């Protein structure tokens, strides 16, 4: 029996090394657009990106919910598996704080890896929050380090990236965030990620004072939006734009709905692709060609 493109993708989800980031990182900095589902992953792939980033916020908002730790491990795992089945891009996953204690964290890493992701990050911010004060919901530095060691021990493929993230900057100050990032690097994580860097001075401080490979997330409209070339020159190994694709999708959908409500017809709306382009994006012709091999 001849195998088609979809069978090849499904096999690939079980072969993590072929979906890894390490060859990309060895060649230089990597730029990752944000995705939220299989369609956005295919769009990122067709746009020519070498990888992608699945943020927890994008998953939650795609479900119509706020980014407040409401997505369950099973929901995230299903989303990861669905993306891995339809796109050959390696992608990183926001795993929040690991969905509970050490046993929950170990299980989360195992399940996200087996679902087809190429890496994940674990943060030091407790979910669900227990106090109104954000600082009170941060794990201690020692606890954060210990939990990242759990994550490192839970992966089965050494090519699967484990990234340590800290959310300490807005609550305990940039110096503490940098100290935490360096402690996570000393624990053996593959990269570190200091979240909430919204001005050039803070970004440059992290670039200078954290020697380990670093990921940075860029969101337009929050402080200084620095171009990828400049961030790469500072030494950041991975640059993500977590929200841009979803924000654009929301704007496009809203414009289409406003047009329909105002005019009672889709005619005259210029912001949509046609059916042929939609089917090209999702691979309808390839799927039909595969199916035809088994039809009378």
């Amino acid at each position: 029996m001849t195998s088609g493109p979809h069978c090849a993708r499904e096999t690939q989800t079980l072969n993590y090394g072929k979906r890894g980031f390490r060859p990309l990182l060895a060649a230089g900095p990597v730029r990752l657009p944000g995705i939220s589902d299989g369609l956005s992953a295919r769009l990122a792939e067709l746009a020519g990106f070498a990888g992608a980033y699945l943020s927890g916020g994008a998953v939650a908002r795609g479900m119509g919910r706020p980014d407040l730790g409401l997505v369950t491990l099973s929901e995230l795992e299903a989303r990861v598996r669905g993306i891995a089945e339809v796109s050959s891009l390696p992608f990183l996953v926001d795993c929040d704080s690991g969905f509970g204690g050490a046993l929950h964290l170990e299980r989360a890493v195992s399940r996200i890896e087996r679902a087809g992701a190429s890496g994940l990050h674990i943060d030091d911010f407790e979910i669900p929050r227990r106090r109104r004060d954000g600082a009170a919901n941060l794990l201690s530095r020692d606890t954060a380090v210990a939990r990242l060691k759990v994550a490192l021990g839970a992966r089965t493929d050494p090519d699967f990236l484990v990234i340590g993230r800290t959310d300490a900057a807005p609550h305990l100050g940039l110096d503490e965030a940098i100290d935490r990032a360096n402690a996570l690097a000393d624990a053996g994580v593959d990269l570190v990620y200091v979240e909430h860097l919204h001005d050039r001075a803070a970004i440059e401080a992290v670039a200078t004072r954290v020697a380990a490979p670093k990921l940075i997330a860029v969101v337009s409209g929050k402080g200084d939006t620095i171009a990828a070339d400049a961030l790469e020159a500072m030494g950041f190994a991975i640059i993500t734009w977590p929200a841009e694709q979803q924000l654009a999708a929301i704007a496009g959908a809203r414009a289409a709905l406003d047009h329909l409500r105002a005019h009672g017809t889709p005619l005259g709306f210029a912001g949509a692709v046609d059916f042929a382009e939609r089917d090209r994006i999702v691979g309808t012709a390839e799927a039909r060609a595969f199916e035809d091999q088994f039809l009378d």
Side-chain angles (χ1 to χ4, degrees), residues 214-286:
K214 296 172 287 293
L215 177 152
I216 186 169
V218 179
V219 180
S220 60
K222 287 191 174 183
D224 297 328
T225 303
I226 300 176
D229 287 345
L231 293 169
E232 290 165 357
M234 292 181 197
F236 289 95
I238 295 179
I239 299 162
T240 75
W241 296 274
E244 302 309 318
Q245 187 176 182
Q246 191 173 62
L247 291 172
I250 292 170
R254 179 177 286 171
L257 292 168
D258 287 345
H259 181 91
L260 286 173
R261 186 178 182 196
H263 303 286
T265 174
L267 297 177
F269 181 70
V273 301
D274 59 24
F275 281 14
E277 176 63 7
R278 180 197 64 184
D279 287 347
R280 185 186 75 84
I281 290 167
V282 299
T284 299
E286 294 86 350

Side-chain angles (χ1 to χ4, degrees), residues 119-141:
L120 53 72
H121 60 69
I122 302 294
D123 64 38
D124 56 357
F125 203 68
E126 191 175 30
I127 296 176
R129 63 178 188 158
R130 300 176 187 273
R131 300 287 187 272
R132 288 189 181 89
D133 178 14
N137 293 284
L138 280 165
L139 302 172
S140 71
R141 192 187 308 177

Side-chain angles (χ1 to χ4, degrees), residues 20-22 25-26 92 109 113 118-122 148-149 151-165 181-193 210-215 235-238:
F21 277 102
R22 294 195 190 278
L25 289 168
L92 299 177
V109 173
E113 180 184 4
S118 299
L120 53 72
H121 60 69
I122 302 294
L148 263 298
K149 289 180 178 178
L152 288 164
R155 66 181 174 187
T156 59
D157 180 14
D159 282 340
F160 184 82
L161 297 184
V162 173
I163 300 169
R165 165 176 159 169
N182 284 319
L184 294 172
D186 290 343
V189 298
D190 298 299
L191 293 95
V192 294
Y193 169 18
V210 179
K214 296 172 287 293
L215 177 152
F236 289 95
I238 295 179

Side-chain angles (χ1 to χ4, degrees), residues 75-148:
E75 289 169 333
L76 180 60
E77 179 186 21
R79 185 65 58 91
V80 169
R81 192 176 301 281
I83 292 168
E85 287 175 353
V86 300
S87 173
S88 63
L89 286 182
F91 61 99
L92 299 177
V93 175
D94 176 359
C95 208
D96 288 329
S97 57
F99 299 95
L103 289 172
H104 301 85
L105 173 57
E106 181 182 47
R107 188 169 184 238
V109 173
S110 176
R111 287 175 63 172
I112 296 303
E113 180 184 4
R114 284 188 287 115
S118 299
L120 53 72
H121 60 69
I122 302 294
D123 64 38
D124 56 357
F125 203 68
E126 191 175 30
I127 296 176
R129 63 178 188 158
R130 300 176 187 273
R131 300 287 187 272
R132 288 189 181 89
D133 178 14
N137 293 284
L138 280 165
L139 302 172
S140 71
R141 192 187 308 177
D142 288 345
T143 299
V145 167
R147 289 174 62 80
L148 263 298

